[in-house]
Amino acid sequence: MTMATRHQDDILTVPKVTKQKPPPLFKVILLNDDYTPMDFVVHILQAYFGKTVEQATRIMLDVHNHGRGVCGIYPSDIAATKVAQVVNHARQHQHPLQCVMEEN
Ligand code: TYC
């Protein structure tokens, strides 16, 4: 927003126009592997990405059939947290599931 301010000495100052840029967004991506059970991946998508069982199953099968798939799109810190949560949960269960983030 630009607004002129009149000072006592009658000098008109116009502040530099500032514009809020939206934050950069990152895709959180699941990668396929041959070992992680399908129902575990469906659970991950429901627990960390708010998907219904139907949405989660569709994304899981998409990853299974095409090698990778998008779980969600988030600002950097949220995307990084999701990646860490997914990888930690998978390792706790000895699954090799890989999850990465990519700038949009
Ligand atoms: N390919 C795995 C299987 O046949 C299932 C799977 C799906 C694994 C998605 C990882 O991100 C993944 N059990």
Side-chain angles (χ1 to χ4, degrees):
M1 225 239 270
T2 304
M3 206 154 30
T5 308
R6 189 169 292 283
H7 291 259
Q8 295 114 309
D9 55 2
D10 267 8
I11 295 168
L12 201 62
T13 52
V14 180
K16 205 165 168 191
V17 174
T18 58
K19 206 162 176 204
Q20 287 293 328
K21 270 188 251 156
L25 295 177
F26 292 76
K27 291 176 183 159
V28 175
I29 293 170
L30 272 183
L31 305 179
N32 190 34
D33 66 72
D34 293 338
Y35 304 101
T36 305
M38 289 184 172
D39 63 344
F40 185 84
V41 177
V42 171
H43 166 75
I44 289 277
L45 286 160
Q46 291 182 263
Y48 296 109
F49 299 97
K51 305 301 183 186
T52 64
V53 67
E54 293 85 3
Q55 293 171 325
T57 302
R58 205 173 308 129
I59 294 169
M60 181 281 295
L61 286 174
D62 213 53
V63 176
H64 176 72
N65 289 319
H66 299 108
R68 50 192 275 140
V70 177
C71 309
I73 303 176
Y74 307 95
S76 164
D77 52 345
I78 296 175
T81 299
K82 303 265 183 207
V83 168
Q85 288 172 327
V86 169
V87 172
N88 286 338
H89 191 74
R91 295 304 169 271
Q92 282 180 7
H93 292 262
Q94 282 84 48
H95 297 315
L97 183 63
Q98 291 187 75
C99 184
V100 299
M101 57 192 273
E102 286 182 1
E103 192 165 4
N104 246 356

